[in-house]
Amino acid sequence: MFHFRFSTVLKELFELAPLKRPFPACRQRSWSRAPPPPHRRCFGSVPAGDARTGPPRRLAAAQRRSYCVKTEGATSVELEEQLKKDAAEGNDKRRHPGILPSLEDLLFYTVAEGQEKIPAHKFLTALKGTGLRTGDPRLKECMETLKQTLKATPDGVTLDRHLFKKCVQSNIVLLTQAFRKKFVIPDFQAFTSHIDKLYEKAKKLTGGQVADYIPQLAKFSPDLWAVSLCTVDGQRHTVGDTKVPFCLQSCVKPLKYAVAVHDHGTEYVHSFIGKEPSGLRFNKLFLNEDDKPHNPMVNAGAIVCTSLIKQHASNAEKFDYAMNFLKNMAGNEYVGFSNATFQSERESGDRNFAIGYYLKEKKCFPEGTDMTSVLDLYFQLCAIEVTCESASVMAATLANGGICPITGERVLSPEAVRNTLSLMHSCGMYDFSGQFAFHVGLPAKSGVAGGILLVVPNVMGIMCWSPPLDKLGNSVRGIQFCTDLVELFNFHNYDNLRHFAKKHDPRKEGGDQRQHSFGPMDYESLQQELALKAPLWKKVSPTESDQDSSTTVVYRMDKVSK
């Protein structure tokens, strides 16, 4: 079997190999051409005669597969049988030099670093280093296969190449992206080390008061402090008290607005609610000049928005409907309900009842709405519980255009997400919204339970939670963390990604290859890259038709001699 003896060279080769097609610069043949013989269906060419001097052969685009991931018919069987023979006999020469390793092989060699077997914990540790979790729903099949495979091994710990390939093949595309640093944050460990420092800095703050106008909220310790993030690729990081449940409170306002727009569209929703910041406290009895609530992020607008959810259904059906939406946004992670908080809030909700009757008087609700039932549902939605971890996935779903990163399911329409982020940016932080937009420049929504739901569009979602609030009702530690985050990284909406050199860009650090792709005109660059980074590759002499538009340049892998 072909064994790599230089792990550093292998790593460079693995980083170089593109995910879907090894050489995108090469021009494809017409699909109408006849397929090649079975022994040439994998990527690469098997020259006739002597492997070093024989003329190269071209491959049809229809049969060119990425590193033989899943070839079809007899070819796959023959290749697998040959590899098994190689492994059994330990003969490096049996492997034909014209066949490249599969993605599974490359992943094995990268993790194994020259060893014959991989301890399972080594693979899992390396996986966590990329930001992926073993409990990621997208890796369910891989993890289940790994568990069953280890039970059948003699030591229950290590995997050889064939067993490893069996475990990872179902999720090889995602795993390859992770290990080749093709996620939105390539150097995830370096990035999270900065997050941990920002967390520790904010932890030292002791100001603020825990909200006490809702008795159940007053019971939380002022020392609780947590930060969780989830990127649009499903990379996760948590620090602090991230598994402690707390109520969303006003953080649910943008989420139920998104549900309403998803169901009814922008025009219908905003026939009842405005889009402007109010310039007043969030719980004021005040409407705009059209007798509408100013926006969905203040109490009046949120109450009207509640009336638009699943109209004409019972409160029980409405609540279940909203809960299912939130669970889907959270990737089916923890979303609960605090009945004690609901009861406490309803009993102390005189101001919201006053707002409700004022809205009813001004005919702000859809026709036939039962105002008291709407208020009950409003209080219930505020009492929905999350953890920092599950809420960060909700925020990441907004960052990802409505698609949950860890399930791949579309939960919200792009229109609903765009509108939600726009209003969060202008109205989401109570009377601090203007300053927050100026200094942080990101969509966010705070709640009196101490949460701040922060969205970095197209990058990640973050949930910060600490109960002590400032005079404007925002988490003291959460505001500090968000401010420091944007001072360190160029996440502000108006940071110039090209010329703002004073800040870090975690989308590029150590991951410049993410920004680079080979196009049709990059043929010479590809050659230079191969020559400099991958001495394992040798170009086969071109034929006289090398300049033809249908020609595929063929490379083969030869063993590196010491």
Side-chain angles (χ1 to χ4, degrees):
M1 190 61 213
F2 189 101
H3 297 294
F4 287 90
R5 306 186 186 279
F6 297 93
S7 60
T8 56
V9 174
L10 175 61
K11 285 182 179 178
E12 291 176 353
L13 172 61
F14 186 64
E15 290 177 0
L16 177 64
L19 176 63
K20 292 187 177 179
R21 186 176 299 164
F23 302 106
C26 301
R27 299 176 180 176
Q28 296 184 0
R29 281 187 173 186
S30 167
W31 286 85
S32 62
R33 299 200 179 194
H39 67 280
R40 285 192 284 135
R41 289 189 180 177
C42 293
F43 176 82
S45 165
V46 183
D50 186 272
R52 296 185 180 275
T53 61
R57 297 179 182 177
R58 297 173 294 176
L59 300 177
Q63 299 296 336
R64 203 181 310 137
R65 307 302 294 267
S66 298
Y67 297 110
C68 311
V69 178
K70 288 186 179 180
T71 51
E72 300 173 359
T75 306
S76 177
V77 176
E78 292 169 4
L79 177 59
E80 188 63 28
E81 290 299 322
Q82 183 63 45
L83 292 176
K84 288 180 179 178
K85 290 179 182 178
D86 292 344
E89 300 180 18
N91 186 354
D92 287 348
K93 295 182 181 180
R94 277 185 173 272
R95 181 166 186 172
H96 203 292
I99 298 178
L100 304 186
S102 66
L103 288 175
E104 293 91 337
D105 285 323
L106 289 171
L107 183 58
F108 175 84
Y109 296 138
T110 300
V111 179
E113 296 181 324
Q115 301 299 313
E116 298 289 334
K117 293 185 176 182
I118 297 178
H121 68 83
K122 182 177 181 180
F123 167 63
L124 296 178
T125 300
L127 180 66
K128 291 177 182 178
T130 69
L132 292 182
R133 290 184 171 182
T134 55
D136 192 306
R138 297 168 295 176
L139 294 175
K140 181 179 180 181
E141 189 174 351
C142 173
M143 293 300 118
E144 288 180 350
T145 305
L146 177 63
K147 183 179 179 180
Q148 296 300 321
T149 301
L150 288 174
K151 288 182 179 179
T153 58
D155 58 7
V157 175
T158 58
L159 301 167
D160 61 22
R161 187 178 64 83
H162 292 290
L163 291 177
F164 179 82
K165 289 176 66 175
K166 175 185 175 183
C167 294
V168 303
Q169 63 185 359
S170 59
N171 301 116
I172 188 59
V173 173
L174 179 65
L175 292 171
T176 302
Q177 284 181 306
F179 281 91
R180 289 176 59 239
K181 296 187 175 181
K182 292 297 182 181
F183 285 158
V184 66
I185 305 294
D187 286 343
F188 195 67
Q189 288 180 304
F191 174 72
T192 54
S193 68
H194 288 299
I195 296 296
D196 292 344
K197 291 177 183 177
L198 298 182
Y199 169 87
E200 292 297 333
K201 179 182 176 182
K203 187 176 182 180
K204 298 175 183 177
L205 298 177
T206 57
Q209 297 292 324
V210 178
D212 58 4
Y213 72 93
I214 299 175
Q216 288 301 120
L217 299 182
K219 296 181 179 181
F220 282 96
S221 167
D223 297 327
L224 292 169
W225 170 223
V227 173
S228 290
L229 66 87
C230 176
T231 73
V232 294
D233 289 317
Q235 296 165 285
R236 309 287 298 276
H237 181 67
T238 63
V239 55
D241 305 300
T242 56
K243 295 187 182 298
V244 179
F246 62 94
C247 290
L248 281 170
Q249 291 297 323
S250 287
C251 289
V252 81
K253 289 174 180 175
L255 306 181
K256 63 184 174 185
Y257 167 75
V259 173
V261 175
H262 177 85
D263 287 345
H264 302 294
T266 304
E267 186 176 350
Y268 179 79
V269 172
H270 285 286
S271 66
F272 297 96
I273 309 169
K275 310 181 186 74
E276 295 288 341
S278 67
L280 301 168
R281 293 284 290 173
F282 67 96
N283 58 356
K284 288 288 185 180
L285 279 76
F286 194 78
L287 302 176
N288 65 17
E289 59 184 13
D290 297 322
D291 281 342
K292 296 178 183 178
H294 284 81
N295 61 73
M297 305 301 157
V298 295
N299 285 15
I303 291 171
V304 173
C305 191
T306 302
S307 71
L308 303 180
I309 295 176
K310 201 75 173 171
Q311 296 179 48
H312 311 300
S314 67
N315 260 19
E317 291 173 315
K318 292 178 180 179
F319 181 77
D320 280 346
Y321 183 74
M323 281 286 283
N324 286 334
F325 248 105
L326 297 185
K327 287 179 180 178
N328 289 337
M329 289 185 69
N332 297 313
E333 294 193 357
Y334 178 77
V335 179
F337 176 71
S338 172
N339 186 57
T341 303
F342 162 61
Q343 298 290 347
S344 176
E345 191 163 357
R346 185 168 61 172
E347 291 168 3
S348 59
D350 293 338
R351 166 72 67 161
N352 286 320
F353 274 102
I355 293 173
Y357 280 108
Y358 183 50
L359 293 170
K360 182 179 179 181
E361 178 200 355
K362 294 295 183 178
K363 296 182 172 27
C364 294
F365 295 113
E367 188 175 349
T369 298
D370 182 345
M371 185 273 295
T372 55
S373 294
V374 168
L375 280 174
D376 269 354
L377 182 60
Y378 173 82
F379 294 137
Q380 286 174 329
L381 296 181
C382 288
I384 288 176
E385 281 188 338
V386 294
T387 63
C388 255
E389 294 191 13
S390 60
S392 69
V393 182
M394 293 178 177
T397 299
L398 293 175
N400 200 33
I403 298 174
C404 179
I406 64 173
T407 64
E409 177 187 354
R410 173 163 291 285
V411 184
L412 296 167
S413 67
E415 175 191 14
V417 173
R418 183 195 63 189
N419 292 353
T420 301
L421 296 183
S422 297
L423 289 169
M424 288 171 68
H425 183 78
S426 62
C427 316
M429 299 297 290
Y430 299 128
D431 293 343
F432 192 68
S433 296
Q435 290 200 57
F436 193 87
F438 183 86
H439 293 289
V440 179
L442 291 171
K445 186 70 189 82
S446 59
V448 293
I452 294 181
L453 191 77
L454 182 73
V455 178
V456 186
N458 304 309
V459 180
M460 69 180 68
I462 301 174
M463 173 55 94
C464 311
W465 177 59
S466 178
L469 309 177
D470 60 22
K471 293 180 180 179
L472 298 176
N474 298 311
S475 170
V476 173
R477 295 189 184 105
I479 292 290
Q480 184 67 52
F481 177 87
C482 294
T483 304
D484 291 342
L485 179 76
V486 173
E487 285 182 358
L488 180 61
F489 299 110
N490 59 355
F491 285 158
H492 192 292
N493 265 336
Y494 304 110
D495 280 339
N496 189 294
L497 299 184
R498 179 175 296 181
H499 301 297
F500 210 132
K502 294 182 180 179
K503 294 186 178 183
H504 295 284
D505 187 352
R507 291 159 285 198
K508 291 184 179 179
E509 289 180 355
D512 291 338
Q513 71 273 17
R514 180 180 175 87
Q515 309 298 325
H516 181 74
S517 61
F518 294 108
M521 303 305 293
D522 291 325
Y523 177 73
E524 294 301 326
S525 299
L526 176 59
Q527 286 184 306
Q528 294 173 12
E529 192 88 19
L530 288 168
L532 292 173
K533 282 193 171 184
L536 290 172
W537 297 96
K538 295 182 180 180
K539 184 180 178 185
V540 178
S541 301
T543 65
E544 64 277 5
S545 61
D546 193 37
Q547 301 303 317
D548 183 76
S549 62
S550 62
T551 299
T552 297
V553 178
V554 180
Y555 289 79
R556 72 168 184 266
M557 182 182 290
D558 288 329
K559 188 174 181 179
V560 177
S561 58
K562 291 186 178 180

